[in-house]
C-alpha cells in the first residue's frame, strides 16, 4: 500500500509588516560576503549623532524594546520571590542583586533554577529568555502582563493556560519550538548570526546590536557615514536599500473618487524590508538577499488562515496584507505607521480618512453605527482582531468587508455577530444589503472552502481561481496546492502555465504541486524551475525531483539540477539544528545512494528532536527499503511514546505490519490512526480497506459513509462504497452510490456521426 516514503520536512517559522516580489527569471542573488565586504555596521549610537529626531522617535518603540539585557531597568516583571502555578507545577521568580532567575521543571522533568539573560518585548506582555546551557536561550512560558492593573495586568500568566505541557512534549518550553537561537532571534536583534555547531550541538549566536536598531532595516551604515564625512551624500545615500520618506509619497483625492490615489510614488524597498520579520515564513539561510531568496513565505494553509483568508494562527501581517486591496493600490507600511516609532500616524478613524473621504466613510450611513459608539470605528469591521499569547490582540490586515452569510457558511469569524451576539448571520446580512446596493464578491473563499471539503464543483472553482489574474497571488498559489490534493486532471496544464507566473510564490507552489504528477510529467514541469531567478523556487524544484527518484533527471538537465541541489543542501544545512533540516539532508543522501549517511543523519535528527515525527517515519522506511523489517518496526514502536504526531506513527506502523502479513495487529494501529485524526481522509480510507479485508464489513462501510458525508466529491470513497456494497449484495445502496459517482464523472459527449 505504501511505496518509498520521502517526507520533506520544510518548517515554516512563526516570525513577527509586509510583502514581496522579485522579478522572475533574474540572476541568482550574490553571496552576502561579496555584497557586504566593503561595508560594516556602525551602531545605532553613531546614527543618532546626525539623526537625533529619528533616534528619539525610535526610543521606546517596539523595535527598541524588542530584546534587552535583563537589568533592574529593563525587567518589568515581579521577581520578588514570587511563586505561581501551572496545573500541578510551580514556577518561582527571584532576584539576587541585579541578576534574575526562574525556577521550574527542566527538560529532564526535575526542578532547576535558570538565569534570565534577556527581556523580550514590552507591550502588552514581556517574556524572558533563560539560558539552559551555554549559548542556548529558551523563551520561558510564563510572561508578565504589562498592562495596568485595572485592565487585568501586573500579573504572571502562562502562555498555554488550557493544556498541560509536560517535559518531553514538543511544545514544552525547553524544546526546539521555544528556542531563541533558531526561532525568534533574527527578528529581535540586528544582524544576527546563528552559528550552530553540529559536532557539539551548541550555539555561539552573535549579533551587532541586541535589539532592532537602525541598521536592521537600513543595512550596514559605514558607507553612508563615509559619504557624509566626504559631503558626498548627494550622489547616493550609501545604502543598497531605498526606504522612501512620507515626502516621497503623496496620496490625493481626485474628482469623482471617494478614495485617494497615489499621485507621487517614490521608489521604495520598504515592504520587502519589513517583510522578513512580519511574516510567517521559513528561513533558507543568511547567504541570500531578497525576500524570496532568503525566505519561504507560507501560503493560505488552512491551519494558518480561515478559508476566506482571515487570520487563524499567528501569521504576522504579511500574508494578510498581500490579499488586500490596499496592497494592490500601492499602500506600504509607512503610509499608516510611523517608520521609527512604529506608532500609527493618526488615531482611530482619522488614520483611515487620510485616504477615505470622511464625509462618505466616517458617517453612520456607512458605518451603520452612531459616531463614537462601538462598531463605528473602521477597524471594528475591516480589521477584526484575534487574540494571541492570551492577551495580545492583533488586527487582520486584509482590510476586508464583513460578509456574515459567507462567514456562517464557511465557518470563519464574522465581526457583525461577534458584537451582536444575540443576532444571526442572516440578520446581519440583511442589514448590510439594505444599506449597500453593491456587494463585492469574495475572490477565493468559496473555492478554498469547497476544495477542503471535497464538494462537487470544487475543481472548477479552483481552476477558475488559478487562471484569474486579479486574484491575490497567495490565493492562486494555494489553489494549485488544493488541486494537487484533489488529484485534478487539469493539474499538469495549470502547472506548466504557472512556471512562468510573475509571482515567485505561485511558481514555488507549482513545484510543490508537481509532486502529485507521475515522474515523467513532473520532470517537464519542474526542470525549468531549476534555473529560476528566485532561490525559494529553485530549492522547491529540487525537492520535487528528489521525491521522484534520482532517475528523474535527464543528462541534459543534470548540471542545472546539481547546481540547484547544492543550494538545496545549503538551505537545509542552515536548519540542521532542527529535525526538519536533518531529515531533508538525509533524503538528499539517500537519493544520492549514500544510505549509510542517510541513516546517520536521521539518527542525528532524532537526537536533536526526539519528538519529530518525520525523523522516525523516514528512518523506519529506510530500514524497510533495506529489508531490515524488525528494525523498522522497532523504530515505529519506540516513536509511539515520543513522536509529536502519534496518528501518523500509528498509521505507518499499521502499514508496516500489513507488509509483514500481521493483519490483525495492523488493523489495531490503523484504527487508532483514524480515531486520532478522523479528519484526515487517508487514514480513514486505508483503515476502511483493511477492515473490510479482515471481515469487519459493517465497520468499513460506516467509516466510508462518514468520510463520504464529510468529503462528498471524493471519488475514491464513492468507488469503494459501490464496490463493497456490490460484494455484499446490497444492490440498492450500490446503485445509489454509483449514481453519485457517475454525477462526479460525467461521460464525455458523444461525437456526432458525419
Amino acid at each position: 500500500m505504501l511505496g518509498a516514503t520521502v517526507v520533506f520536512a520544510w518548517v515554516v517559522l512563526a516570525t513577527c509588516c509586509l510583502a514581496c516580489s522579485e522579478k522572475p527569471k533574474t540572476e541568482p542573488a550574490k553571496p552576502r560576503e561579496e555584497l557586504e565586504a566593503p561595508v560594516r555596521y556602525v551602531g545605532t549610537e553613531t546614527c543618532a549623532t546626525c539623526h537625533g529626531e529619528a533616534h528619539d522617535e525610535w526610543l521606546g518603540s517596539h523595535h527598541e524594546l524588542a530584546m534587552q539585557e535583563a537589568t533592574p531597568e529593563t525587567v518589568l516583571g515581579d521577581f520578588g520571590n514570587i511563586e505561581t502555578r501551572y496545573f500541578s507545577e510551580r514556577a518561582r521568580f527571584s532576584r539576587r542583586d541585579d541578576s534574575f532567575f526562574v525556577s521550574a521543571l527542566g527538560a529532564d522533568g526535575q526542578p532547576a533554577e535558570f538565569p534570565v539573560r534577556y527581556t523580550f518585548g514590552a507591550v502588552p506582555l514581556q517574556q524572558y529568555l533563560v539560558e539552559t546551557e551555554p549559548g542556548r536561550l529558551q523563551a520561558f512560558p510564563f510572561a508578565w502582563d504589562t498592562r495596568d492593573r485595572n485592565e487585568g495586568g501586573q500579573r504572571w500568566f502562562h502562555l498555554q493556560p488550557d493544556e498541560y505541557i509536560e517535559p518531553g512534549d514538543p511544545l514544552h518550553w525547553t524544546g526546539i519550538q521555544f528556542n531563541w537561537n533558531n526561532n525568534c532571534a533574527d527578528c529581535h536583534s540586528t544582524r544576527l548570526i546563528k552559528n550552530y555547531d553540529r559536532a557539539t550541538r551548541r550555539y555561539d549566536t552573535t549579533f551587532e546590536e541586541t535589539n532592532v536598531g537602525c541598521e536592521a532595516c537600513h543595512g550596514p551604515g559605514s558607507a553612508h557615514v563615509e559619504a557624509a564625512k566626504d559631503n558626498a551624500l548627494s550622489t547616493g545615500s550609501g545604502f543598497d536599500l531605498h526606504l522612501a520618506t512620507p515626502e516621497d509619497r503623496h496620496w490625493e483625492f481626485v474628482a469623482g473618487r471617494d478614495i485617494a490615489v497615489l499621485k507621487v510614488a517614490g521608489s521604495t524597498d520598504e515592504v520587502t524590508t519589513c517583510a522578513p520579520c512580519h511574516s510567517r515564513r521559513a528561513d533558507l539561510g543568511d547567504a541570500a538577499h531578497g525576500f524570496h531568496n532568503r525566505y519561504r513565505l507560507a501560503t493560505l494553509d488552512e491551519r494558518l488562515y480561515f478559508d476566506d483568508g482571515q487570520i487563524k494562527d499567528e501569521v504576522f501581517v504579511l500574508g494578510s496584507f498581500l490579499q488586500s486591496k490596499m496592497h494592490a493600490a500601492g499602500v506600504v507600511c509607512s503610509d499608516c505607521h510611523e517608520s521609527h516609532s512604529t506608532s500609527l500616524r493618526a488615531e482611530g478613524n482619522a488614520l483611515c480618512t487620510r485616504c477615505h473621504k470622511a464625509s462618505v466613510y466616517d458617517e453612520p450611513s456607512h458605518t451603520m453605527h452612531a459616531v463614537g459608539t462601538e462598531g463605528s470605528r473602521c477597524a471594528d469591521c475591516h480589521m477584526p482582531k484575534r487574540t494571541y499569547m492570551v492577551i495580545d490582540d492583533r488586527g487582520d490586515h486584509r482590510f476586508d468587508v464583513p460578509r456574515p452569510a459567507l462567514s456562517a457558511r464557511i465557518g470563519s469569524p464574522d465581526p457583525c455577530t461577534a458584537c451582536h451576539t444575540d443576532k444571526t448571520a442572516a440578520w446581519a446580512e440583511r442589514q448590510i444589503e439594505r444599506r449597500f446596493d453593491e456587494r463585492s464578491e469574495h475572490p477565493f473563499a468559496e473555492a478554498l472552502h469547497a476544495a477542503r471539503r471535497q464538494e462537487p464543483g470544487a475543481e472548477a472553482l479552483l481552476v477558475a481561481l488559478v487562471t484569474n489574474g486579479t486574484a491575490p497571488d497567495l490565493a492562486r498559489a494555494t489553489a494549485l496546492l488544493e488541486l494537487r490534493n484533489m488529484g485534478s486532471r487539469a493539474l499538469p496544464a495549470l502547472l506548466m502555465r504557472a512556471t512562468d507566473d510573475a509571482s515567485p510564490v505561485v511558481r514555488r507552489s507549482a513545484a510543490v504541486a508537481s509532486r502529485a504528477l507521475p515522474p515523467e510529467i513532473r520532470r517537464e514541469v519542474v526542470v525549468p524551475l531549476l534555473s529560476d531567478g528566485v532561490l525559494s523556487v529553485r530549492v522547491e524544484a529540487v525537492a520535487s525531483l528528489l521525491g521522484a527518484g534520482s532517475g528523474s533527471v535527464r543528462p541534459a538537465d543534470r548540471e542545472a539540477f546539481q547546481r540547484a541541489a547544492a543550494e538545496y543542501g545549503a538551505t537545509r544545512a542552515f536548519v540542521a539544528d532542527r529535525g526538519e533540516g536533518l531529515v531533508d539532508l538525509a533524503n538528499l543522501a539517500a537519493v544520492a545512494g549514500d544510505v549509510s549517511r542517510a541513516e546517520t543523519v536521521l539518527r542525528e535528527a532524532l537526537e536533536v528532536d526526539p519528538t519529530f515525527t518525520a525523523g522516525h517515519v523516514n528512518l523506519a522506511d529506510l530500514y524497510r527499503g533495506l529489508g531490515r523489517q524488525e528494525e523498522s518496526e522497532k523504530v515505529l514502536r519506540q516513536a509511539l511514546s515520543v513522536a509529536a504526531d502519534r496518528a501518523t506513527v500509528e498509521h505507518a506502523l499499521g502499514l508496516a505490519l500489513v507488509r509483514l502479513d500481521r493483519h490483525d495487529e495492523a488493523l489495531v494501529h490503523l484504527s487508532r490512526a483514524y480515531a486520532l485524526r478522523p479528519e484526515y481522509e487517508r487514514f480513514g480510507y486505508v483503515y476502511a480497506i483493511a477492515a473490510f479485508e479482515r471481515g469487519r464489513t459493517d465497520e468499513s462501510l460506516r467509516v466510508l459513509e462518514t468520510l463520504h458525508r464529510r468529503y462528498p466529491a471524493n471519488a475514491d470513497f464513492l468507488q469503494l462504497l459501490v464496490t463493497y456494497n456490490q460484494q455484499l449484495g446490497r444492490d440498492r445502496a450500490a446503485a445509489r452510490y454509483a449514481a453519485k459517482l457517475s454525477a462526479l464523472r460525467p461521460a464525455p459527449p458523444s461525437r456526432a456521426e458525419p
Side-chain angles (χ1 to χ4, degrees):
M1 289 181 176
L2 182 70
T5 302
V6 180
V7 180
F8 292 95
W10 286 108
V11 57
V12 180
L13 299 179
T15 67
C16 302
C17 214
L18 314 173
C20 46
S21 50
E22 275 94 21
K23 295 178 181 178
K25 312 302 183 189
T26 58
E27 289 299 314
K30 294 181 180 180
R32 168 170 289 186
E33 312 84 67
E34 183 179 341
L35 288 170
E36 293 190 353
V39 295
R40 66 185 187 281
Y41 287 76
V42 298
T44 294
E45 292 305 315
T46 298
C47 303
T49 59
C50 292
H51 301 279
E53 183 178 350
H55 180 261
D56 289 345
E57 292 175 352
W58 172 80
L59 291 174
S61 70
H62 287 285
H63 286 168
E64 196 240 339
L65 304 177
M67 179 170 159
Q68 304 172 92
E69 291 186 19
T71 68
E73 292 72 34
T74 62
V75 171
L76 303 178
D78 186 349
F79 279 78
N81 206 31
I82 300 297
E83 186 174 277
T84 188
R85 297 181 66 87
Y86 169 63
F87 290 85
S88 60
E89 287 188 28
R90 296 183 180 184
R92 182 176 294 277
F93 303 87
S94 58
R95 172 179 173 179
R96 294 195 290 274
D97 299 324
D98 289 344
S99 297
F100 300 84
F101 301 88
V102 298
S103 299
L105 296 185
D108 58 1
Q110 299 302 310
E113 184 180 74
F114 303 92
V116 175
R117 298 301 187 199
Y118 297 95
T119 67
F120 228 43
V123 178
L125 59 101
Q126 186 175 69
Q127 280 187 277
Y128 300 94
L129 299 178
V130 304
E131 191 171 53
T132 56
E133 62 182 50
R136 185 183 188 96
L137 298 178
Q138 299 287 132
F140 198 63
F142 279 94
W144 179 256
D145 187 338
T146 61
R147 300 173 301 170
D148 290 340
R149 195 177 299 278
N150 60 9
E151 296 178 286
Q154 301 302 298
R155 64 188 176 99
W156 289 105
F157 68 98
H158 200 281
L159 294 169
Q160 297 162 300
D162 300 325
E163 180 183 4
Y164 178 58
I165 308 296
E166 61 184 345
D169 189 284
L171 293 180
H172 191 257
W173 73 270
T174 57
I176 196 71
Q177 303 301 337
F178 282 77
N179 176 248
W180 166 83
N181 308 76
N182 67 29
N183 277 345
C184 32
D186 61 335
C187 283
H188 282 253
S189 301
T190 301
R191 200 204 181 197
L192 182 125
I193 301 175
K194 183 164 60 173
N195 284 335
Y196 174 71
D197 185 351
R198 284 178 65 184
T200 62
R201 296 184 191 155
R202 291 292 180 94
Y203 293 98
D204 184 22
T205 304
T206 63
F207 42 75
E208 290 290 334
E209 292 190 274
T210 306
N211 52 16
V212 180
C214 306
E215 292 163 295
C217 301
H218 293 275
S222 61
H224 179 75
V225 171
E226 293 302 319
K229 289 179 180 177
D230 297 337
N231 294 316
L233 286 179
S234 59
T235 61
S237 68
F239 294 109
D240 291 334
L241 297 173
H242 176 68
L243 301 180
T245 66
E247 292 73 31
D248 295 327
R249 299 174 56 76
H250 177 60
W251 294 84
E252 182 178 307
F253 289 106
V254 297
R257 297 193 60 169
D258 297 329
I259 301 176
V261 296
L262 188 58
K263 300 292 282 188
V264 178
S267 174
T268 179
D269 298 307
E270 181 179 309
V271 170
T272 52
T273 298
C274 300
C277 291
H278 294 268
S279 61
R280 187 71 176 256
R281 46 59 165 185
D283 196 340
L284 302 180
D286 59 5
H289 283 264
F291 182 76
H292 290 290
N293 275 313
R294 172 74 190 267
Y295 303 103
R296 184 181 186 274
L297 180 65
T299 56
L300 304 181
D301 187 293
E302 61 184 315
R303 294 165 295 184
L304 305 179
Y305 297 89
F306 290 96
D307 293 340
D308 59 359
Q310 286 194 65
I311 55 177
K312 180 186 289 186
D313 201 16
E314 176 61 279
V315 289
F316 304 104
V317 177
L318 177 62
S320 304
F321 182 69
L322 291 182
Q323 304 172 47
S324 71
K325 291 181 179 179
M326 299 284 200
H327 172 254
V331 172
V332 298
C333 317
S334 63
D335 287 327
C336 298
H337 297 269
E338 294 282 355
S339 300
H340 297 104
S341 70
T342 69
S343 60
L344 293 173
R345 292 193 176 276
E347 292 300 319
N349 289 1
L351 177 66
C352 304
T353 55
R354 295 168 76 233
C355 290
H356 297 255
K357 281 186 179 178
S359 59
V360 175
Y361 293 102
D362 198 14
E363 293 292 328
S365 58
H366 178 82
T367 67
M368 301 165 58
H369 294 80
V371 174
T373 64
E374 194 78 15
S376 69
R377 294 182 295 269
C378 306
D380 291 339
C381 297
H382 300 293
M383 294 185 71
K385 292 181 178 179
R386 193 166 178 85
T387 303
Y388 303 98
M389 303 182 80
V390 182
I391 62 170
D392 194 3
D393 294 337
R394 307 282 181 90
D396 193 322
H397 278 65
R398 295 179 314 135
F399 308 108
D400 209 353
V401 298
R403 296 179 174 85
L406 175 66
S407 292
R409 190 161 63 251
I410 69 175
S412 65
D414 165 43
C416 301
T417 54
C419 285
H420 298 276
T421 55
D422 59 333
K423 304 294 185 180
T424 65
W427 170 86
E429 192 75 26
R430 288 196 299 271
Q431 307 312 306
I432 295 173
E433 288 175 347
R434 289 172 185 168
R435 290 165 175 81
F436 298 97
D437 294 333
E438 296 184 7
R439 295 282 285 136
S440 59
E441 295 299 320
H442 198 285
F444 58 82
E446 297 280 13
L448 295 185
H449 183 72
R452 287 161 181 173
R453 282 140 193 85
Q454 299 181 27
E455 296 175 354
E459 182 177 7
L461 290 172
L462 289 173
V463 171
L465 176 56
V466 170
T467 56
N468 181 356
T470 63
D473 293 345
L474 279 179
R476 294 189 297 116
T478 305
L480 286 175
L481 301 177
E482 295 296 343
L483 284 165
R484 171 202 61 178
N485 296 339
M486 295 180 66
S488 169
R489 290 169 291 181
L491 191 60
L494 290 172
L495 294 183
M496 292 296 293
R497 176 177 172 176
T499 59
D500 287 322
D501 198 275
S503 166
V505 181
V506 172
R507 301 198 304 277
R508 192 194 79 211
S509 290
V512 176
S514 72
R515 297 177 195 171
L517 304 178
E520 63 277 7
I521 302 177
R522 186 188 316 186
R523 180 179 61 219
E524 297 303 317
V525 171
V526 171
V527 164
L529 297 177
L530 294 172
S531 302
D532 194 274
V534 174
L535 178 63
S536 60
V537 178
R538 295 195 299 273
V539 298
E540 203 64 71
V542 171
S544 293
L545 290 173
L546 290 175
S550 57
S552 63
V553 181
R554 293 173 294 202
D557 304 320
R558 196 159 300 279
E559 182 179 349
F561 174 77
Q562 290 174 341
R563 184 170 59 248
E567 293 179 310
Y568 173 83
T571 67
R572 311 322 297 141
F574 180 75
V575 286
D577 52 341
R578 299 180 64 96
E580 294 90 336
L582 291 166
V583 163
D584 288 339
L585 288 174
N587 289 334
L588 194 59
V591 170
D594 192 346
V595 176
S596 176
R597 175 65 178 163
E599 179 183 3
T600 298
V601 177
L602 285 171
R603 287 291 183 188
E604 181 183 353
L606 295 180
E607 291 172 6
V608 166
D609 184 3
T611 70
F612 188 57
T613 306
H616 296 281
V617 173
N618 279 28
L619 181 60
D621 199 68
L622 180 71
Y623 287 152
R624 182 186 66 81
L626 296 172
R628 295 156 62 177
Q629 303 290 358
E630 290 184 1
E631 291 176 84
S632 176
E633 180 184 348
K634 181 180 179 181
V635 167
L636 292 173
R637 290 196 180 279
Q638 290 174 338
L640 288 174
S641 61
V642 295
D645 183 359
R646 178 168 178 171
T648 294
V649 178
E650 293 277 11
H651 182 73
L653 180 56
L655 292 175
L657 293 170
V658 167
R659 298 187 195 98
L660 295 172
D661 292 328
R662 291 155 59 184
H663 296 280
D664 289 334
E665 285 183 74
L667 195 59
V668 171
H669 295 285
L670 294 175
S671 172
R672 288 175 182 168
Y674 173 62
L676 288 168
R677 294 267 298 279
E679 77 285 357
Y680 188 40
E681 60 264 35
R682 172 69 177 170
F683 292 170
Y685 180 74
V686 173
Y687 172 54
I689 292 174
F692 195 88
E693 291 176 352
R694 301 309 293 169
R696 295 171 59 173
T697 56
D698 288 344
E699 171 67 7
S700 175
L701 290 175
R702 275 197 299 271
V703 170
L704 288 171
E705 287 161 357
T706 299
L707 291 169
H708 169 61
R709 285 192 296 272
R710 183 176 290 140
Y711 307 110
N714 188 301
D716 292 334
F717 301 149
L718 281 171
Q719 184 62 68
L720 279 183
L721 283 166
V722 171
T723 302
Y724 287 170
N725 277 289
Q726 286 175 339
Q727 291 180 16
L728 295 171
R730 302 176 181 179
D731 295 337
R732 185 175 297 178
R736 185 173 70 253
Y737 290 121
K740 291 184 177 183
L741 184 61
S742 180
L744 286 179
R745 297 173 173 172
S750 59
R751 186 176 298 176
E753 292 295 329

